[in-house]
Amino acid sequence: MGEGKATPIVFLHGFGGTAAGWHAVQTAISTDHPTLAFDLPGHGASLDYPDAVTARHFAQAVVEDLNGRDIPRVHLVGHSMGGATAALVAAFAPEKVASLTLLAPGGFGADINGRLLQHYAAARTYDALQVALEGMFGWRNPVPEEMIRRDVDLRRKPGQIERLGAILARMMKDGLQGTIPRAFIEAFTMPVTVAWGRLDNVLPVYQSEGLPPRFSIHRFDGAGHMLVEEIPGEVIRLISTTVRTG
């Protein structure tokens, strides 16, 4: 979406999602910037991407794809697992990253609600997905019906449930998630914005504390883990502001 020679904005979704989850935010952003949203390996149109079950693998796949498209530099926006992926792209290939906007990113602390994610990964029906997703939203924010139906359709693809299970198994060990080395995070020189919902029931908001002081940190009352759906206007504002500084 979008045209022009400006540095593109690339969107990376969270665990169990697809590029389609960015549609509203991407549409708004693309009026001023070229944009690109990926289906990360093991998800949606990239379900059959081989041998990729970790954020490190996903980051390598993103870099390879950008190189294949002859895109030298991008602004990265990542949610949850996509946030961890974006951070690792910035660590492995910092010359390709103009800025980072990280929405409740994975890998910033060991604690994770693995039981909720296991229910979500295994859910196949509308009702089961609705219950799992409600646990990821702020208490007063309803789960969009379109999101539930999109997830139902995704899980109808042969092998999708199994691939999600394999990714989740590598994401966690003994109930804890793998963490991004602190040295990687402290080495970032590009503008970095981090956003978190204070009611996040997947990755606790305290994982946004103690980050380098040059990072722009934003915590939102009433929001849960699904910031893209819960507070799209704020997400658009944060992306636009971060991109201008990069």
Side-chain angles (χ1 to χ4, degrees), residues 37-245:
F38 286 115
D39 278 1
L40 290 172
H43 295 74
S46 300
L47 173 60
D48 295 328
Y49 191 100
D51 304 324
V53 290
T54 70
R56 183 179 291 264
H57 294 146
F58 302 158
Q60 293 168 344
V62 169
V63 171
E64 290 172 3
D65 190 275
L66 294 175
N67 288 339
R69 296 173 188 262
D70 244 354
I71 300 176
R73 202 159 181 256
V74 298
H75 298 279
L76 286 178
V77 181
H79 171 242
S80 196
M81 183 187 74
T85 301
L88 289 174
V89 171
F92 299 150
E95 73 283 355
K96 298 195 77 67
V97 182
S99 73
L100 287 171
T101 304
L102 307 177
L103 311 174
F108 276 48
D111 286 336
I112 186 170
N113 191 340
R115 288 175 297 186
L116 177 56
L117 290 178
Q118 286 168 350
H119 289 308
Y120 174 63
R124 295 176 182 268
T125 67
Y126 184 99
D127 289 346
L129 280 162
Q130 182 177 30
V131 170
L133 286 168
E134 282 178 347
M136 301 181 188
F137 277 67
W139 305 333
R140 294 185 297 276
N141 296 330
V143 181
E145 182 176 338
E146 176 187 357
M147 182 181 188
I148 303 171
R149 296 196 182 281
R150 191 169 63 235
D151 276 9
V152 170
D153 289 342
L154 178 68
R155 284 124 195 282
R156 287 177 177 151
K157 297 188 68 168
Q160 181 65 82
I161 293 284
E162 292 76 14
R163 191 69 179 273
L164 291 179
I167 293 170
L168 186 60
R170 289 295 299 274
M171 188 187 302
M172 298 190 307
K173 182 178 181 181
D174 298 327
L176 302 174
Q177 70 169 333
T179 57
I180 298 170
R182 179 74 185 196
F184 286 10
I185 295 171
E186 291 180 346
F188 293 157
T189 58
M190 70 289 292
V192 180
T193 294
V194 178
W196 230 287
R198 293 189 185 276
L199 297 181
D200 195 322
N201 190 37
V202 178
L203 298 171
V205 66
Y206 60 73
Q207 291 178 359
S208 65
E209 299 172 359
L211 296 174
R214 64 184 175 276
F215 286 15
S216 178
I217 311 297
H218 304 262
R219 302 178 185 93
F220 293 95
D221 294 338
H225 186 65
M226 308 304 285
L227 301 177
V228 179
E229 290 80 15
E230 295 184 72
I231 51 170
E234 294 289 351
V235 168
I236 292 166
R237 179 183 64 81
L238 290 178
I239 295 169
S240 298
T241 300
T242 306
V243 166
R244 283 198 298 272
T245 63

